Amino acid sequence: MIYKKFGNTGAKVSALGFGAMRLPRIEGTKDTDYDLAVPLMQQAFDMGVNYVDTAPLYCEKQSEIAVGRALKGYRDKVYLSTKNPIEDNDGDHWIQRLEKSLKQLDVDYIDFYHFWGISLKSFESWQGLKFGPMEAALKAKDQGLIKHISFSFHDSAENYKKIVDSGFFESTLVQYNMLDRSNEENIAYAKSKGLGTVVMGPVGGGRLGAPSEKIQGLLKDMGSARVSTAEMAMRFVLANENVDIALSGMENKKMLTENFDVASRTGHLTEEELKHIKAMMEENKKLAQLYCTGCNYCKPCPAGIDIPYLFEIMNRHRIYGLTEHAKKAYNEASNGFSWIKTADASKCTACGTCEGKCPQKLPIIKQLKETHETLS
């Protein structure tokens, strides 16, 4: 396993982190199978993975319990990361949520405690409070309940640097993969400011785990051995020298072994290969924008359709060849099993409101019909 200096925190962390958001489940249920999940994480620890990330709401609120059990006998060997789902600006409530996580995890302290999914707007709302989340975090750190204050981020990429520049945080967790490079500059910036950098979704939330001839073909003329889409996606992230940890949600020993193998190599992709992949993905992005730029001017749709999101899913099939994943994502979104709520494209009434607002003058009604016919 390759280990990296984690910003200015003093920690040395494994390039592969165990993301405990998709633990094995009891067949036919949503409940975590502790008999499988705990040994799986402990096997990872034995192999040299020394960073595990969880959150109070993962795995039907059972992830922290599973991680706590897995840490028995490993607490001094593994860095623990979890998150505070900041529900209000009350510092006492922040402390209560921290204490609940400590109890669930059955630990005395948390190494890297994240302000979960913050935005610039929420961060600015905490300034100047008598006892808000920031004051609560400093108090908890003084008491030894947390070692380092961190943040995860899902806001617009341009809002990121102002949070880093506050000097309040010691590590950061952001989305980054071959399909979504919007935080590439932010990761480099955080690294330059002394923050430890962790990437979530290196395989695009499963998108890049699905076989894709188009993505595999990116390297076919580069002299590289043929690899799976998921392996190439992980290699792409780990080849970025500004990434300290790539978090992977591993559900079984096969995933663990494959990811460990990739993370243990010194050479992930050559500079030439990286430039080639980035150039090709930029061309694909431009092609995708012919179908939708994601400007959101078409919203809201009177029929409840999230048009840009459905077109983004359609592009996973059309541009990247991720057809089976696109079908799954479409049906999850239109049946209420996704964090983005939308009616399916067949609910379009052809009212034309969206087309009148679209700056690209796209044939949205026609494309919605094609989307439903292809993915439903």
Side-chain angles (χ1 to χ4, degrees):
M1 175 57 65
I2 294 170
Y3 296 90
K4 298 184 178 183
K5 178 186 175 185
F6 198 47
N8 295 333
T9 66
K12 201 166 185 181
V13 293
S14 53
L16 175 65
F18 198 111
M21 72 289 286
R22 283 191 291 273
L23 296 173
R25 292 184 292 187
I26 297 172
E27 189 173 352
T29 74
K30 294 183 178 181
D31 291 329
T32 296
D33 190 330
Y34 297 110
D35 291 337
L36 293 178
V38 172
L40 179 64
M41 284 186 276
Q42 291 181 336
Q43 181 180 354
F45 302 155
D46 288 335
M47 294 168 74
V49 175
N50 74 348
Y51 188 99
V52 60
D53 177 86
T54 181
L57 303 181
Y58 288 172
C59 303
E60 302 295 311
K61 302 181 180 180
Q62 298 168 351
S63 177
E64 286 189 332
I65 298 172
V67 169
R69 294 182 184 181
L71 285 172
K72 300 301 181 187
Y74 294 87
R75 186 64 192 95
D76 60 341
K77 302 173 184 176
V78 177
Y79 293 109
L80 169 62
S81 161
T82 190
K83 308 172 184 76
N84 193 310
I86 308 170
E87 299 161 357
D88 54 43
N89 290 349
D90 189 305
D92 289 322
H93 293 167
W94 192 95
I95 293 289
Q96 289 170 11
R97 289 188 290 273
L98 166 61
E99 290 173 342
K100 183 176 181 181
S101 283
L102 289 167
K103 184 176 181 180
Q104 290 244 101
L105 289 158
D106 194 20
V107 296
D108 297 324
Y109 67 93
I110 293 162
D111 295 288
F112 296 95
Y113 196 53
H114 289 74
F115 281 56
W116 194 359
I118 66 174
S119 65
L120 178 60
K121 182 178 179 181
S122 61
F123 180 69
E124 289 178 340
S125 74
W126 301 326
Q127 311 303 313
L129 298 176
K130 186 175 181 180
F131 190 67
M134 296 174 70
E135 290 75 21
L138 292 173
K139 179 180 178 181
K141 187 175 180 182
D142 285 342
Q143 293 175 334
L145 300 178
I146 59 177
K147 300 297 184 183
H148 304 280
I149 303 172
S150 310
F151 77 101
S152 64
F153 180 84
H154 295 280
D155 195 9
S156 299
E158 61 268 20
N159 291 334
Y160 180 85
K161 292 180 181 178
K162 290 182 180 179
I163 298 176
V164 171
D165 285 341
S166 71
F168 187 73
F169 298 103
E170 299 167 83
S171 74
T172 179
L173 170 62
V174 297
Q175 175 96 3
Y176 175 65
N177 55 65
M178 286 172 60
L179 294 183
D180 181 3
R181 292 172 45 222
S182 60
N183 281 310
E184 193 165 78
E185 183 181 334
N186 286 333
I187 293 169
Y189 188 76
K191 185 78 169 178
S192 73
K193 294 294 184 177
L195 276 71
T197 57
V198 186
V199 163
M200 60 178 132
V203 192
R207 282 178 286 172
L208 292 166
S212 169
E213 290 292 328
K214 293 184 180 180
I215 293 177
Q216 287 175 324
L218 290 175
L219 288 181
K220 68 181 180 182
D221 298 322
M222 303 295 294
S224 296
R226 191 166 181 80
V227 298
S228 71
T229 311
E231 179 180 334
M232 197 169 90
M234 183 66 80
R235 286 171 63 187
F236 175 84
V237 168
L238 291 171
N240 187 328
E241 62 182 9
N242 296 309
V243 174
D244 293 328
I245 302 172
L247 276 184
S248 181
M250 295 172 280
E251 301 175 37
N252 52 56
K253 291 182 179 180
K254 182 174 182 290
M255 289 183 181
L256 171 60
T257 302
E258 290 175 350
N259 285 335
F260 180 85
D261 179 57
V262 174
S264 298
R265 301 177 198 166
T266 53
H268 298 294
L269 290 169
T270 67
E271 189 64 30
E272 183 183 6
E273 288 172 333
L274 276 173
K275 288 180 179 178
H276 176 73
I277 289 174
K278 288 180 180 180
M280 294 302 295
M281 295 305 281
E282 283 298 320
E283 287 300 311
N284 286 342
K285 185 177 179 181
K286 292 176 183 176
L287 184 58
Q289 289 179 344
L290 294 176
Y291 301 105
C292 179
T293 64
C295 71
N296 291 319
Y297 287 151
C298 58
K299 298 171 71 172
C301 166
I305 302 170
D306 190 324
I307 297 168
Y309 182 61
L310 293 191
F311 285 173
E312 191 272 321
I313 292 175
M314 181 64 167
N315 282 336
R316 298 178 196 175
H317 152 72
R318 183 160 31 201
I319 308 301
Y320 300 105
L322 297 165
T323 304
E324 291 308 310
H325 177 86
K327 288 182 176 180
K328 180 181 178 183
Y330 178 78
N331 284 286
E332 285 181 350
S334 55
N335 287 300
F337 296 110
S338 168
W339 65 278
I340 293 181
K341 306 304 179 187
T342 177
D344 70 58
S346 70
K347 300 300 189 294
C348 173
T349 63
C351 69
T353 302
C354 54
E355 293 189 355
K357 297 177 180 177
C358 179
Q360 306 299 117
K361 304 302 179 186
L362 298 176
I364 294 175
I365 296 171
K366 178 184 176 183
Q367 287 183 200
L368 283 172
K369 184 177 180 181
E370 290 174 352
T371 296
H372 187 72
E373 288 175 350
T374 304
L375 302 181
S376 69

